[in-house]
Amino acid sequence: MTTEALIPQVTGPASALVVCLLIGLAVYKLMKDVFAPMIQSGINRHLDQVDGMMKAHSEEHNKILESLDRVAERINCPHQVH
């Protein structure tokens, strides 16, 4: 190929490909450095809330069982509630 035929190829499709690759790398870096940590922190906050709800539910469950046992003792029920 001569230089006159090579210059349009280098400045046209090849440069567009390079620009697309650079844009792709920039998007990847943005996703990796900004969006992934942001999403991860949001998920961690949500899971912490779920853990708190489960702990509260477990405590309530134990209190209910203790109350039912006390009621069963007061009415002289021969069977335990749980």
Side-chain angles (χ1 to χ4, degrees), residues 26-77:
V27 168
Y28 170 75
K29 185 171 174 69
L30 181 70
M31 293 291 288
K32 181 179 69 97
D33 294 342
V34 176
F35 292 121
M38 184 172 54
I39 291 170
Q40 184 178 7
S41 68
I43 290 172
N44 287 339
R45 279 195 312 268
H46 174 71
L47 291 177
D48 289 342
Q49 288 177 347
V50 171
D51 288 342
M53 289 170 46
M54 288 183 63
K55 184 178 178 184
H57 174 74
S58 177
E59 291 170 355
E60 288 177 7
H61 177 73
N62 290 334
K63 288 179 183 178
I64 290 170
L65 289 179
E66 290 172 4
S67 297
L68 288 175
D69 282 339
R70 283 195 304 262
V71 168
E73 287 175 6
R74 286 184 180 173
I75 62 172
N76 295 326
C77 183

Side-chain angles (χ1 to χ4, degrees), residues 7-23:
I7 289 176
Q9 293 296 323
V10 171
T11 58
S15 64
L17 181 62
V18 170
V19 169
C20 286
L21 287 174
L22 289 175
I23 290 173

